[in-house]
Amino acid sequence: VCIGFFTVEYVLRILLVHRMSWQEIGLPSKVGPLTKTWKYATQWLNLVDFLAIAPYYVSLSGLYEGSTGALRVLRLVRVFRLLKSPKLRDGVDMVISVVGESLPGILSVFSLTSIVCILFSSCLWIAEGTDYSVTYKPDLYPRGVYVRPQKHGYGQEPTPFTSISHCFWWFFVTATTVGYGDE
């Protein structure tokens, strides 16, 4: 129902924009009706409107046989339609201003978190051991596997941390959880 409403509204706007004055639609000078329609249709917010309804018709037509994940991402463009609402414009401007003013602090936190992540992930990878075994359960791991000592110290088990980048997951989970449910 929403797609139908948005489609009718978008098509009517594009079809009837040639009747409006060039000042009303934000064009810098007087132009012909076809040029006026083209320039209006290619304005940023009108392209957002088009991208908000296009994925529905692409999936409906069956032309897109790949993953629908890309189409779902394009459907998120509908959220940007809120920026056109005059009621929300003051709030959006305030959020943009606040984020812009706090950007140096955000970048500092991001930089320090990245450095600490690399440091502790490297420490974990070294602590887990970098032993690569081709003899540990060759039927399950024919190409070999990274192994670590078991919890009680007797024997070995495969380690989930096969590289420093795999340890990044451990760092962010450990740094952002409060410990509920731990045994």
Side-chain angles (χ1 to χ4, degrees):
V1 174
C2 290
I3 291 291
F5 174 76
F6 288 143
T7 302
V8 168
E9 185 257 342
Y10 179 76
V11 170
L12 286 175
R13 273 192 298 127
I14 296 299
L15 289 177
L16 299 176
V17 72
H18 68 279
R19 305 290 251 162
M20 297 179 71
S21 69
W22 56 274
Q23 296 98 344
E24 289 177 315
I25 57 176
L27 294 179
S29 63
K30 190 172 183 176
V31 293
L34 190 58
T35 306
K36 186 188 299 183
T37 302
W38 174 253
K39 287 187 180 275
Y40 178 76
T42 56
Q43 288 177 342
W44 171 245
L45 289 176
N46 294 320
L47 289 174
V48 167
D49 289 345
F50 176 74
L51 290 175
I53 60 175
Y56 174 75
Y57 293 106
V58 170
S59 64
L60 193 64
S61 69
L63 294 175
Y64 188 77
E65 297 177 5
S67 170
T68 59
L71 291 178
R72 288 182 186 152
V73 169
L74 283 177
R75 287 181 186 154
L76 287 175
V77 172
R78 293 179 194 155
V79 173
F80 292 117
R81 289 180 59 94
L82 294 174
L83 297 176
K84 292 175 67 173
S85 173
K87 292 180 183 177
L88 299 176
R89 191 66 201 163
D90 291 337
V92 169
D93 288 341
M94 182 182 66
V95 168
I96 289 172
S97 172
V98 167
V99 169
E101 290 174 5
S102 61
L103 200 55
I106 292 171
L107 290 176
S108 295
V109 168
F110 179 74
S111 299
L112 290 173
T113 303
S114 299
I115 291 169
V116 170
C117 175
I118 293 169
L119 173 73
F120 283 114
S121 297
S122 301
C123 291
L124 176 69
W125 188 68
I126 291 169
E128 279 287 316
T130 55
D131 295 334
Y132 189 78
S133 175
V134 291
T135 58
Y136 179 79
K137 296 188 180 180
D139 51 332
L140 287 176
Y141 308 103
R143 295 185 178 173
V145 66
Y146 283 97
V147 292
R148 67 179 177 188
Q150 289 181 341
K151 187 187 322 185
H152 53 75
Y154 304 109
Q156 293 179 326
E157 64 182 3
T159 180
F161 307 111
T162 57
S163 69
I164 294 174
S165 59
H166 282 96
C167 296
F168 288 177
W169 169 84
W170 167 84
F171 170 79
F172 284 111
V173 168
T174 303
T176 59
T177 55
V178 292
Y180 295 118
D182 291 348
E183 293 181 20

